Amino acid sequence: MENCLFCKIIRGEIPSGKVYEDENVYAFRDINPQAPVHVLVVPKKHFVSLSDIQSASDGELAACLRAVRLIAEQEKLENGYRLVSNCGPDACQSVPHLHFHILGGRQMADQMA
Ligand code: DGP
């Protein structure tokens, strides 16, 4: 996707704090961290959100979750972390490229929303 912000980050056209990359996944630090560790995990293939994954393969989707586990280990989140994927306007999704927020390094609020 030519003008997608996260596609540009994946292509290296916009700098990012990369923490992980493999054939299917790119992960980088959120520009506006909400926790001591705040990493965005994105599939390299463009999907708008979880509402748009009909054409994604099981392997592409599983790669995101496997990357989450590896990054949590890399970031030493042995005490736990929260995984969030905002999907659509009610969830305040601001970047229309599927992504998972890994939030950790502090006690999260009991209420999720
Ligand atoms: P969401 O609201 O769930 O769509 O989250 C989008 C996140 O993307 C938000 O937490 C801020 C982050 N973000 C937006 N622009 C950039 C950028 O240019 N670089 C990085 N690293 N993160 C960005």
Side-chain angles (χ1 to χ4, degrees):
M1 291 288 282
E2 187 92 0
N3 288 316
C4 168
L5 174 65
F6 286 176
C7 287
K8 287 182 179 174
I9 287 177
I10 292 163
R11 291 196 296 264
E13 294 166 15
I14 294 174
S16 66
K18 179 169 99 169
V19 299
Y20 176 83
E21 182 172 15
D22 66 27
E23 136 188 45
N24 292 302
V25 176
Y26 189 82
F28 53 100
R29 299 201 186 279
D30 195 289
I31 204 168
N32 181 26
Q34 308 287 315
V37 175
H38 188 167
V39 172
L40 300 174
V41 178
V42 309
K44 286 186 174 176
K45 202 180 272 187
H46 182 91
F47 305 102
V48 172
S49 71
L50 283 170
S51 296
D52 180 43
I53 58 167
Q54 305 90 321
S55 66
S57 71
D58 290 352
E60 284 161 349
L61 295 174
C64 292
L65 296 182
R66 293 193 185 283
V68 167
R69 191 196 69 80
L70 286 171
I71 293 161
E73 196 173 85
Q74 197 174 294
E75 297 290 322
K76 305 194 188 325
L77 297 176
E78 58 275 331
N79 213 37
Y81 57 91
R82 182 163 284 166
L83 186 65
V84 174
S85 188
N86 292 321
C87 181
D90 274 6
C92 302
Q93 182 181 4
S94 61
V95 179
H97 181 129
L98 174 62
H99 53 280
F100 299 90
H101 298 253
I102 302 175
L103 296 151
R106 67 163 165 79
Q107 178 66 56
M108 296 291 134
D110 193 19
Q111 287 220 317
M112 270 195 292

